[in-house]
Amino acid sequence: MKKFRLNTFLYIAIFLCVVLIACSNESDSVGKEKPDEENETNESANAQDKDEPKENDDQDQSEEEKEEELENQEPEYYISEETATVLPLDDANENIVLLTIDDVPDANAVEMAHTLKDLGVGAIFFVNGHFINDDDGAEKLKEIHDMGFLIGNHTNTHPVLPELSKEEQTDEIVSVSNRVEEIIGERPKFFRAPHGMNSDHSKAIAKEENMTIMNWTYGYDYFEAYTEPKAVAEAMITGEGPEAGVDYSLLKPGANLLMHDRDWTNEALKDIVEGLQNQGYEIVDPHLIETS
């Protein structure tokens, strides 16, 4: 009987040892699985981290490709030197208008550029050299250019060019192109004489600088009667400026619209763009205009 009991106890002891060993192995196995899962998670996260710069690189490359594509577009329009209107070269949409902003970059130009960017439309910003002689002005110009807007030359000090000597006219024009190139890496492609007054010499210099000469068809924000946002918006949208002696509309396909870096024009800009679009006019991309 004693022997039977001893054997029974022995079997029970052996069984318990086996169970304990099995449990211990299972515990070790579970303990090993967790680090493996964590490693897999970490490897997955690391893989995603490695992929992210590639996505950014793709985005950067895409932007570069877009810019290059923009530069290589075939022109669809040209500027009439006689009338300053924008005319189609072939079968491009005729129902367009061009936006231009002079005397930049003063107090409002950067905000105006952002407004136009948000609206998805282009414009030419005509620069006065005295606004970009310091770092602040240079940064403003660079910001406008980096948003994709074309930069035009509007002379250094905004003089009446025919009243200057040939040497002075040359300096007024070329110094601005030099400074613009220093800031944004390219020279202006368009030239607009202050007050719309060119001389034979200024035209010759502009052409030597490979700039397309451009005046405008209408603009009102420099008349005292149109120094209020609502008034200038209505004038630009209708093309009529009775207070400026224009009691008929100058708005027509190909119109070249003159605006300035002014508080009231800045406030009215969104309404002007949308008002023109609501009449069926497309705001032409200046990159599609043929240059010299």
Side-chain angles (χ1 to χ4, degrees), residues 205-226:
I205 294 301
K207 290 183 178 180
E208 284 178 16
E209 287 287 310
N210 296 315
M211 291 188 289
T212 298
I213 297 169
M214 177 192 298
N215 278 338
W216 60 89
T217 58
Y218 73 86
Y220 296 109
D221 65 354
Y222 53 100
F223 291 96
E224 186 175 354
Y226 300 98

Side-chain angles (χ1 to χ4, degrees), residues 47-97:
Q48 289 177 357
D49 290 342
K50 289 178 182 177
D51 287 342
E52 283 179 2
K54 290 181 181 179
E55 290 177 4
N56 291 334
D57 290 343
D58 290 343
Q59 290 174 359
D60 292 340
Q61 184 65 31
S62 177
E63 289 300 323
E64 290 174 5
E65 289 175 353
K66 286 179 183 177
E67 186 174 344
E68 185 177 349
E69 184 179 346
L70 206 59
E71 290 293 329
N72 293 332
Q73 286 185 103
E74 289 295 323
E76 297 181 12
Y77 299 91
Y78 71 98
I79 300 293
S80 168
E81 193 169 332
E82 291 75 25
T83 64
T85 54
V86 187
L87 302 174
L89 285 169
D90 294 308
D91 57 352
N93 179 20
E94 296 182 358
N95 211 36
I96 54 95
V97 295

Side-chain angles (χ1 to χ4, degrees), residues 189-208:
K189 298 177 180 178
F190 297 94
F191 175 70
R192 173 171 283 167
H195 318 287
M197 298 178 67
N198 270 295
S199 68
D200 289 340
H201 184 71
S202 70
K203 289 179 180 179
I205 294 301
K207 290 183 178 180
E208 284 178 16

